[in-house]
Amino acid sequence: MLLDTPVRLGVQIPPQHVTYPQIRDAVLWLEDFGVDIVFNWDHFFPLFGDPDGPHFESWTMLGAWAEQTERVEFGALVNCNSYRNADLQADMARTVDHISAKGTGVGRFIFGTGSGWFEKDYVEYGYDFGTVGSRLNDLEPSLERIEARWSKLNPAPTRKIPVMIGGKGEQKTLRLVARHADIWHSFVSAEELPHKLGVLQEWAQKEGRDTANLVVSNELARRTTEDADALYDAGVRMFTLSLPGPDWDFHLVKNWLAWRDAKNS
């Protein structure tokens, strides 16, 4: 049985082809509109458009978002495990969590993470690209180290920092989701979701974990409200939308917010 939470909308702002003041203003607008979560991504170069165009780093930006926002949750969709020592990632996440803990004393950071895939990032910055399999193999011990470091840090995180893992591979990724994730993110269709959730449940049983509190997340790009309805019926409760700038399509965001509110009414 999946956790039946209210629908949440997360908007990803690609940190490319814009100035930082434009990003800062977009985050403020999205928070004012009522978006639940704001994401960036963890790359070093643009993923589309001019490959050598303007681009900004993820984690330093997340620290700024933690300070400038008051309500929204935030994080990377997703952090690349390969770029930083696992214990350092844990400490960075804990620090950003504390920066964002305003008023209530409870942080708003979501630790979205993955194994990495964009070869140019690796080559240009001197990381070993390896293979899909080797990068996934590296992610598992890193998650264990991150969770262990969170238990040792002083001060501790303000809350159990939610871990979000993206992907749909049945042999490795879904096993990691079953073992570590609070949120599972994918681009899986509504028709494919029951099968993937079944595989996930099988891994959860083998791992001895109850996944009743797992939140299922999916992407809205190029999808209609009918598609979103089908994903909702299949168990998705967190939806993400990429919003490239600098010509932010806030009308699109408002439409999806209206859909979210109708589902939650």
Side-chain angles (χ1 to χ4, degrees), residues 178-246:
R179 179 177 292 180
H180 297 283
D182 302 287
I183 305 167
W184 170 48
H185 181 74
S186 78
F187 295 79
V188 170
S189 68
E191 292 75 20
E192 192 180 4
L193 262 177
H195 170 71
K196 295 295 183 182
L197 290 170
V199 173
L200 184 55
Q201 184 58 37
E202 290 176 3
W203 277 121
Q205 291 174 352
K206 292 177 182 178
E207 295 292 336
R209 183 188 172 198
D210 181 4
T211 55
N213 290 328
L214 182 72
V215 174
V216 180
S217 172
N218 209 297
E219 171 62 38
L220 289 172
R222 296 176 296 280
R223 284 183 163 144
T224 65
T225 54
E226 289 76 15
D227 295 329
D229 288 339
L231 289 167
Y232 177 88
D233 291 341
V236 177
R237 290 297 180 270
M238 184 171 137
F239 293 83
T240 64
L241 178 69
S242 181
L243 193 73

Side-chain angles (χ1 to χ4, degrees), residues 1 8 18 23-24 39 47 65 101 161-162 171 183 224:
M1 181 67 68
R8 290 188 294 162
V18 291
I23 292 174
R24 181 176 59 232
F39 293 109
L47 297 186
W65 289 6
I161 297 175
Q171 296 306 310
I183 305 167
T224 65

